[in-house]
Amino acid sequence: MTVNDIVHKLGLTVFGGEKGLDREITGGYVSDLLSDVMGNASEGDVWITLQTHKNVMAVASLKEVAAVILVKGLKPDDDTLAQSNEEGIPLLGTELEAFDVAGKLYALIKSK
Amino acid sequence: MKFKYEIEGGNFSKAGNASSEVKKILKQLNVPPPIIKRLVVALYEGEVNVVAHAWNGCIYVEIEPERIDVKIEDKGPGIPDIEQAMQEGFSTASQAVREMGFGAGMGLPNMKKNADQLNISSKVGKGTIVELVIFLNGKR
């Protein structure tokens, strides 16, 4: 499953990083603590968070996550968006809360 | 091969830049991905610690065929009790830094988990030196 697939199936907003929409998804990680993501997320995960600042993309890039989903209608900071485009890591958004979008994503990944 | 990167204290917009540069170099050198992953976690935590706590600092990376040595040296407030700082959950980060999702007291434990060797020395009011080693031949 690619990032593009979940964008369509979950009706996600694409803020930036369109270059990476064909990235392959292998799992997900939900956390707002950057060190927790650094320590525990895996390459290919979709990272679900409410953090919108630029360091999110630094962590996303270092960990090579497939994409980042911002929850509850939150919008990325301008420099976060710029780095998403630069890195080619899709920065996505949903109106849903983390629990709901994680549940839907989990079901999608497990159904494959 | 030796590399040096400077870190600005307090400037979160640049946090991770040095780690990202080192990662690129390690990839070019065909260092095995699991090693790169471990080094990047440890290095990023070290870099963020300098940004969050110190006034300025430097990262020195030395890559040899059998090992990677990293030294992170900062001028800053230092760590009065290193043993306490190593405990998971212990943090002295400001509220603003915590709200960004840093300062959860996971940084140093993350470094310990991912490095083969970790040595920290610190002088209160002067600064901190963190040295870590990752072996490339899988020896821990």
Side-chain angles (χ1 to χ4, degrees), chain A residues 38-79:
Chain A
M38 270 321 281
N40 301 298
S42 305
E43 184 180 339
D45 276 352
V46 175
W47 175 18
I48 298 170
T49 184
L50 54 68
Q51 297 286 359
T52 58
H53 57 82
K54 189 187 173 200
N55 294 271
V56 166
M57 291 318 300
V59 171
S61 161
L62 288 169
K63 293 300 284 187
E64 298 181 33
V65 301
V68 177
I69 300 179
L70 305 182
V71 297
K72 296 193 298 182
L74 291 163
K75 305 277 184 295
D77 297 355
D78 290 344
D79 51 2

Side-chain angles (χ1 to χ4, degrees), chain B residues 69-88:
Chain B
D69 283 75
V70 176
K71 183 162 89 166
I72 305 164
E73 197 171 1
D74 73 50
K75 291 194 177 76
I79 306 170
D81 186 340
I82 291 171
E83 206 179 311
Q84 188 181 34
M86 289 303 298
Q87 285 171 18
E88 194 126 6

Side-chain angles (χ1 to χ4, degrees), chain A residues 19-110:
Chain A
K19 262 189 300 184
L21 284 173
D22 58 352
R23 287 164 84 99
E24 201 63 37
I25 293 172
T26 48
Y29 201 75
V30 188
S31 184
D32 305 318
L33 295 176
L34 274 62
S35 285
D36 179 39
V37 177
M38 270 321 281
N40 301 298
S42 305
E43 184 180 339
D45 276 352
V46 175
W47 175 18
I48 298 170
T49 184
L50 54 68
Q51 297 286 359
T52 58
H53 57 82
K54 189 187 173 200
N55 294 271
V56 166
M57 291 318 300
V59 171
S61 161
L62 288 169
K63 293 300 284 187
E64 298 181 33
V65 301
V68 177
I69 300 179
L70 305 182
V71 297
K72 296 193 298 182
L74 291 163
K75 305 277 184 295
D77 297 355
D78 290 344
D79 51 2
T80 311
L81 183 57
Q83 205 181 340
S84 152
N85 288 327
E86 204 175 297
E87 306 272 359
I89 299 175
L91 185 54
L92 313 172
T94 177
E95 294 297 321
L96 297 175
E97 294 180 2
F99 177 81
D100 296 313
V101 73
K104 289 185 177 197
L105 181 63
Y106 182 89
L108 266 182
I109 290 173
K110 295 298 162 186

Side-chain angles (χ1 to χ4, degrees), chain B residues 44-65:
Chain B
Y44 178 76
E45 296 292 1
E47 187 178 353
V48 165
N49 277 347
V50 174
V51 175
H53 298 285
W55 307 312
N56 61 71
C58 269
I59 296 179
Y60 303 88
V61 181
E62 188 169 358
I63 304 163
E64 289 171 56

